[in-house]
């Protein structure tokens, strides 16, 4: 069988993608002299939260995912991030390719909430590989990519922040049931409000009360201030 090894040499945000996308740089290495015609590669990406430390404010923001910090010894389990496919062109010896990973900034998704809670540092990620190898000299043979092939990478939190700030500058997602959206739209129309920001601000003003003001939103690096107006996984899943 063709012996392949995988290394992730880095990750960056794709500034020119139509939607939020991360590019993982992969290096594939075959035994010397082995001709690889193509690899139909599948990659499962996991967040390994137990492999980094957390500030107090980060721990508080992660309470809905992992519970109180005193329980993290048993609750800090890996989170499924993404599962993607890629066709690697033919090579001999070694090659490098970009693995595009489309991302969601939906805060109802466990991975999105995890990334949003982090202020700095790195995110420990594990890439698990499977797929099919087409290799051979003077013809080809078809072989599976062994399921024990994997690679680790520590992605800077700033890369995620750069990606989300590029596509959603100074904004975030809030998913609501259709009935709630219809009620908000009716309220906005009834009061002739010019935007959703004005609609929410009007509702907050109407609620009034003696509650303290909300904390100022945290801005990602490079973001300009604007005026006011999982599922946990414990085993590898089949491709």
């Amino acid at each position: 069988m063709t012996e392949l090894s995988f290394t992730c040499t880095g990750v960056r945000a794709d500034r020119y993608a139509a939607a939020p996308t991360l590019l993982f740089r992969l290096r594939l290495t075959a035994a010397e002299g082995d001709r690889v015609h193509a690899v139909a590669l599948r990659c499962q990406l996991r967040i390994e939260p137990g492999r980094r430390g957390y500030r107090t404010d980060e721990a508080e923001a992660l309470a809905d995912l992992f519970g109180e910090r005193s329980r993290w010894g048993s609750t800090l389990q890996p989170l499924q991030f993404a599962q993607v496919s890629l066709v690697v062109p033919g090579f001999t010896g070694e090659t490098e390719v970009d693995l595009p990973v489309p991302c969601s900034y939906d805060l109802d998704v466990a991975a999105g909430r995890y990334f949003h809670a982090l202020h700095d540092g790195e995110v420990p990620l594990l890439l698990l590989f499977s797929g099919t190898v087409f290799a051979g000299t003077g013809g080809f043979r078809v072989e599976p990519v062994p399921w024990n092939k994997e690679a680790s990478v520590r992605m800077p939190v700033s890369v995620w922040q750069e990606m989300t700030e590029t596509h959603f500058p100074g904004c975030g997602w809030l998913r609501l049931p259709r009935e709630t959206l219809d009620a908000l739209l009716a309220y906005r129309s009834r009061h002739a409000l010019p935007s959703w920001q004005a609609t929410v601000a009007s509702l907050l003003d109407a609620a009034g009360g003696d509650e303290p003001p909300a904390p100022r939103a945290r801005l990602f690096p490079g973001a300009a201030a604007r005026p006011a107006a999982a599922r946990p996984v414990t085993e590898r899943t089949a491709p």
Side-chain angles (χ1 to χ4, degrees):
M1 291 183 63
T2 302
E3 182 63 29
L4 285 179
S5 62
F6 298 84
T7 306
C8 183
T9 61
V11 55
R12 69 186 190 278
D14 187 348
R15 286 183 164 271
Y16 305 104
T21 302
L22 294 173
L23 296 176
F24 289 78
R25 190 68 174 172
L26 299 182
R27 179 183 297 140
L28 285 72
T29 305
E32 185 175 355
D34 279 357
R35 172 63 180 167
V36 176
H37 298 288
V39 182
L41 188 65
R42 291 187 294 272
C43 180
Q44 185 179 150
L45 293 92
R46 287 186 184 171
I47 302 168
E48 297 197 306
R51 292 174 49 205
R52 62 156 284 166
Y54 300 90
R55 299 171 8 175
T56 301
D57 52 352
E58 292 175 336
E60 292 173 353
L62 292 169
D64 63 333
L65 286 178
F66 305 120
E68 297 298 324
R69 197 162 194 162
S70 59
R71 300 176 51 215
W72 282 12
S74 59
T75 63
L76 214 62
Q77 299 297 324
L79 297 173
Q80 182 79 4
F81 176 29
Q83 186 160 312
V84 293
S85 300
L86 177 71
V87 176
V88 180
F91 66 94
T92 300
E94 183 177 284
T95 189
E96 290 195 4
V97 294
D98 285 329
L99 176 69
V101 179
C103 301
S104 169
Y105 190 38
D106 186 343
L107 296 184
D108 282 342
V109 176
R113 294 205 305 276
Y114 177 83
F115 287 124
H116 184 73
L118 304 181
H119 290 249
D120 51 27
E122 297 175 326
V123 179
L125 297 171
L126 181 65
L127 286 68
L128 306 168
F129 299 103
S130 60
T132 306
V133 182
F134 302 89
T137 303
F140 70 87
R141 57 186 182 273
V142 180
E143 306 167 351
V145 175
W147 273 44
N148 64 344
K149 297 299 181 180
E150 59 186 44
S152 297
V153 64
R154 301 186 72 88
M155 180 183 75
V157 173
S158 59
V159 172
W160 176 270
Q161 294 171 346
E162 176 191 349
M163 179 194 70
T164 53
E165 185 62 26
T166 297
H167 291 274
F168 310 113
C171 300
W173 283 104
L174 182 61
R175 187 170 63 180
L176 298 171
R178 183 171 292 112
E179 294 79 3
T180 304
L181 285 174
D182 290 343
L184 284 171
L185 182 59
Y187 179 89
R188 176 178 173 177
S189 299
R190 191 163 57 248
H191 294 272
L193 297 168
S195 66
W196 287 115
Q197 170 64 27
T199 302
V200 174
S202 174
L203 287 168
L204 292 174
D205 289 342
D210 298 324
E211 295 183 3
R216 186 175 180 180
R218 171 167 57 92
L219 294 175
F220 292 150
R226 299 191 168 198
R231 182 173 59 118
V233 293
T234 56
E235 60 181 19
R236 189 169 185 169
T237 58

